[in-house]
Amino acid sequence: MAFRKVAIAGATGNLGPSIVNELVNQGFEVTVLSSSGNTSALPSAVKVIKVDYSSQDSVVSALRGQEAFISTIPKHDQQPALIDAAIAAGVQRFIPSEFGSNTIGNEKVRALPVFAGKVKTQEYLRSKQDQISYTFLITGLFLDWGLNLGWLANLKGKTDINDNGDSVHSFTLLTDIGRAVAGVLKHPEETKNRGVYVQTAALSQNQVLKIAGKVKPEFKAETEQVDLAEVEKNAYAELKKDGGNIGLAMVSFIKISIFKEGYGNLWDEKNDNELLGVKGLSSSELEDLVAKSF
Ligand SMILES: NC(=O)c1ccc[n+]([C@@H]2O[C@H](COP(=O)([O-])OP(=O)(O)OC[C@H]3O[C@@H](n4cnc5c(N)ncnc54)[C@H](OP(=O)(O)O)[C@@H]3O)[C@@H](O)[C@H]2O)c1
């Protein structure tokens, strides 16, 4: 039977609001756990509980009566404590803060230092699956975020073309991630103790630049070719260096997982879109999205 009573931690960040809005629109009973209490942008239908994540009692008491718990917090080493609290409160399903690269199906991605916390959380959940079930949701780069940040294509400046720019990867809109989470909650058995893959579109960087030229003929793409093997080598060198730029290295590892061939970043042929109610975009919807990104 579908889960109806769901809690979410980290709902006030980049991803959380899209999930909350979709769950509320689909009639789920949503409770938001928040450390800051900065929840004014969330729909009034949600119940907000201010929590102190350093206190297990605080989190357990906020989770009592909930059937599922979604984490979108950015601090992955804090998730095992959330899982313990969920178990203590009797929650049945935990959806950890994944929502990105293929950390479940590709060993090269799993080995990238930036994903160590996500991988440890997965291992922790697997070790507790007799007490709580889980679903890992793999989405690739957020499509709208990737356009706004200029990672997929920078329509306001120079685009870094990763390797040849022709390889195709899976990307998901924030709204579709909300739909996919709702889909998991509506299909507990089919999504139990496994990873699910969703995508809004499979695209290459060169395809996006081509669409940009179609919707705005005066647009002239400014590009610079980037060799991802070199980026990877430099990122590991930064990690080894005294006073190295760890932040830059981590961003490099994320880009490698999204764009480098061999990193399992395309699930166009086999994914869970249909089960989870994610439809993808028609060509004209894709053109509208790109047109809005100038
Ligand atoms: N695929 C992609 O393109 C992509 C892009 C960005 C992020 N992601 C992934 O999506 C997930 C969510 O990322 P996000 O960018 O939405 O996160 P975020 O905006 O950095 O943070 C989300 C919320 O988590 C809470 N939070 C912040 N620091 C915390 C801490 N130390 N402990 C507990 N809670 C904390 C805050 O909510 P309160 O103040 O309400 O507690 C914050 O608003 C992550 O797993 C990230 O890797 C993927």
Side-chain angles (χ1 to χ4, degrees):
M1 211 167 53
F3 298 124
R4 300 308 307 172
K5 286 174 72 89
V6 300
I8 174 164
T12 56
N14 297 305
L15 169 62
S18 304
I19 297 176
V20 171
N21 285 327
E22 187 63 28
L23 294 182
V24 168
N25 287 343
Q26 292 201 27
F28 289 88
E29 207 178 304
V30 182
T31 297
V32 166
L33 275 56
S34 174
S35 54
S36 64
N38 295 331
T39 54
S40 54
L42 295 178
S44 56
V46 300
K47 179 177 174 190
V48 176
I49 302 181
K50 200 157 182 293
V51 292
D52 169 8
Y53 286 116
S54 66
S55 152
Q56 212 213 18
D57 286 351
S58 166
V59 183
V60 173
S61 116
L63 289 175
R64 281 207 199 286
Q66 300 298 329
E67 295 165 338
F69 185 25
I70 305 144
S71 164
T72 58
I73 68 165
K75 286 286 286 177
H76 303 285
D77 57 356
Q78 290 187 5
Q79 292 195 105
L82 294 187
I83 295 161
D84 288 341
I87 292 169
V91 174
Q92 297 166 56
R93 175 68 51 91
F94 190 86
I95 302 178
S97 195
E98 279 286 342
F99 311 107
S101 297
N102 193 356
T103 51
I104 55 171
N106 186 281
E107 286 309 318
K108 288 185 187 172
V109 175
R110 289 171 69 77
L112 291 171
V114 71
F115 298 122
K118 288 188 174 183
V119 170
K120 272 194 187 148
T121 301
Q122 292 171 12
E123 285 164 358
Y124 194 70
L125 274 167
R126 288 194 178 103
S127 77
K128 299 279 176 183
Q129 68 182 37
D130 54 337
Q131 296 170 71
I132 192 163
S133 63
Y134 60 80
T135 307
F136 307 131
L137 186 33
I138 304 299
T139 63
L141 177 69
F142 303 161
L143 179 53
D144 25 11
W145 164 283
L147 284 167
N148 288 336
L149 272 189
W151 279 22
L152 186 47
N154 186 352
L155 308 183
K156 302 181 184 90
K158 189 184 69 181
T159 297
D160 284 347
I161 295 289
N162 298 297
D163 293 334
N164 64 17
D166 284 328
S167 53
V168 174
H169 313 293
S170 295
F171 303 100
T172 307
L173 285 171
L174 288 162
T175 48
D176 277 340
I177 297 177
R179 284 190 191 105
V181 170
V184 169
L185 299 170
K186 289 198 282 195
H187 297 93
E189 280 311 311
E190 299 94 319
T191 58
K192 185 175 179 179
N193 296 342
R194 72 173 181 103
V196 294
Y197 290 83
V198 290
Q199 65 161 47
T200 300
L203 293 161
S204 72
Q205 291 188 281
N206 287 337
Q207 283 171 342
V208 177
L209 290 175
K210 202 168 161 199
I211 295 169
K214 182 177 174 200
V215 297
K216 192 173 176 183
E218 67 274 26
F219 170 69
K220 292 280 169 280
E222 199 190 320
T223 60
E224 183 173 329
Q225 202 270 337
V226 172
D227 179 350
L228 287 178
E230 192 68 17
V231 170
E232 191 166 15
K233 200 172 88 190
N234 292 340
Y236 279 110
E238 283 300 321
L239 286 192
K240 283 197 190 127
K241 219 193 277 175
D242 271 349
N245 189 335
I246 307 293
L248 178 68
M250 294 302 164
V251 169
S252 299
F253 291 132
I254 292 172
K255 284 196 176 172
I256 288 158
S257 73
I258 295 166
F259 292 110
K260 198 162 188 284
E261 289 267 21
Y263 282 69
N265 35 31
L266 176 65
W267 39 91
D268 195 24
E269 301 277 318
K270 192 170 182 299
N271 57 55
D272 297 281
N273 275 13
E274 199 178 328
L275 172 70
L276 302 180
V278 173
K279 292 199 177 62
L281 295 178
S282 65
S283 310
S284 69
E285 286 168 332
L286 194 52
E287 287 174 12
D288 288 347
L289 178 74
V290 172
K292 276 195 242 144
S293 307
F294 281 100

